[in-house]
Amino acid sequence: MKNILIVEDELPISRVLKAYLEKNQFHVEQAFTGDEAERKFDATSPSLVLLDVMLPGRSGWSILEYIRKKSACPVIMLTALGQIDNKLMGLNQGADDYITKPFIADEVVARVQAVLRRSTNIINGDQVRQFGSLKVDFKAYTVTLHGIELAFTPKDLSLFLFLAQYKNQTFTREQLIEQVWGMDYEGSDRAVDLAIKRIRRSLENWPATEGEIKTYRGLGYKLCVYE
């Protein structure tokens, strides 16, 4: 049974989400403040976090940053803020999805299920590929650079593994959305650009002579490997 942590200070909303998630066979923990969220996250190691942005004392952005320093656990942001800048902020900081209030509880459950499916959709294959000092293990679902494992969000890791699986091939944003985010994704393809930006930051110490992620304007992205 998957464990979901709901971080929401509005008790009626938290109760409704808990009831719907439990109806769909999830185990649910609740937190109502930022400090409580950190304690519950460390104690329960949830499979996914539903995280409200507007919390008493500390913002959801602060909690998201705390989670991302420790874990690739999927995080869905919940907020009444519908402006595109806030959505981009969440995605840029490593959120896996963004749901604006008011929402339908059934939709939240469906988004939780979709994010969990994507986060566990490991690329098939049992080989390890070495791209110079970069080692990609498709079975273990890890990427190491100079012997040190790189930290990615689940979606960023899925995106990079897909590009690595098909190195030196160019994919459009639409193709990457379909392969990594899924057909049910309703957001902007800007999410691809933000993910590529984060991946490049993680790969900044990968020698350019060994490989790079290249942008092809009007086409898309390609992981170029110089072997």
Side-chain angles (χ1 to χ4, degrees):
M1 182 179 290
K2 298 284 187 179
N3 182 29
I4 308 298
L5 174 60
I6 300 173
V7 185
E8 167 62 67
D9 64 310
E10 296 185 51
L11 185 57
I13 293 177
S14 183
R15 282 177 172 170
V16 169
L17 290 175
K18 183 176 186 292
Y20 273 77
L21 287 165
E22 289 181 339
K23 179 182 176 182
N24 285 271
Q25 308 305 311
F26 291 103
H27 175 76
V28 177
E29 298 285 344
Q30 294 169 287
F32 301 94
T33 68
D35 291 339
E36 185 182 11
E38 290 187 1
R39 292 194 301 271
K40 289 273 182 84
F41 181 83
D42 291 338
T44 63
S45 298
S47 302
L48 182 142
V49 178
L50 286 169
L51 177 59
D52 188 26
V53 170
M54 306 299 289
L55 294 169
R58 297 175 57 189
S59 73
W61 306 126
S62 173
I63 306 307
L64 176 61
E65 183 180 6
Y66 176 84
I67 291 172
R68 281 291 164 260
K69 286 179 179 178
K70 309 184 70 170
S71 170
C73 172
V75 177
I76 298 178
M77 305 301 292
L78 303 174
T79 180
L81 303 175
Q83 294 88 348
I84 187 64
D85 288 345
N86 289 294
K87 293 184 179 180
L88 292 179
M89 179 187 296
L91 294 172
N92 196 37
Q93 290 187 6
D96 294 86
D97 203 349
Y98 192 106
I99 301 176
T100 303
K101 299 175 183 177
F103 45 71
I104 300 172
D106 281 330
E107 178 190 358
V108 176
V109 172
R111 299 279 276 274
V112 166
Q113 292 169 332
V115 169
L116 287 172
R117 281 197 306 271
R118 292 195 297 270
S119 68
T120 56
N121 185 24
I122 300 175
I123 294 176
N124 293 326
D126 56 0
Q127 75 265 36
V128 174
R129 296 187 183 181
Q130 193 81 36
F131 305 141
S133 54
L134 189 72
K135 178 181 176 182
V136 183
D137 190 326
F138 294 97
K139 187 174 183 179
Y141 209 50
T142 59
V143 180
T144 56
L145 180 60
H146 304 298
I148 300 173
E149 184 175 345
L150 300 180
F152 292 103
T153 67
K155 190 173 283 83
D156 290 355
L157 181 56
S158 294
L159 174 58
F160 180 73
L161 290 180
F162 178 78
L163 291 172
Q165 184 80 1
Y166 300 99
K167 63 183 177 68
N168 297 323
Q169 295 185 41
T170 303
F171 294 92
T172 65
R173 290 177 178 83
E174 290 76 16
Q175 289 172 322
L176 294 173
I177 286 288
E178 180 178 342
Q179 292 295 326
V180 179
W181 278 258
M183 293 294 293
D184 57 349
Y185 178 73
E186 298 179 353
S188 167
D189 61 6
R190 172 73 172 150
V192 176
D193 302 330
L194 294 172
I196 291 291
K197 181 179 178 180
R198 292 191 297 268
I199 292 170
R200 281 176 170 154
R201 192 180 303 129
S202 297
L203 296 174
E204 61 184 356
N205 293 322
W206 188 29
T209 55
E210 296 178 359
E212 61 183 325
I213 297 178
K214 295 192 71 172
T215 302
Y216 292 88
R217 187 162 304 201
L219 291 176
Y221 295 102
K222 175 169 69 175
L223 177 65
C224 296
V225 176
Y226 309 125
E227 298 176 309

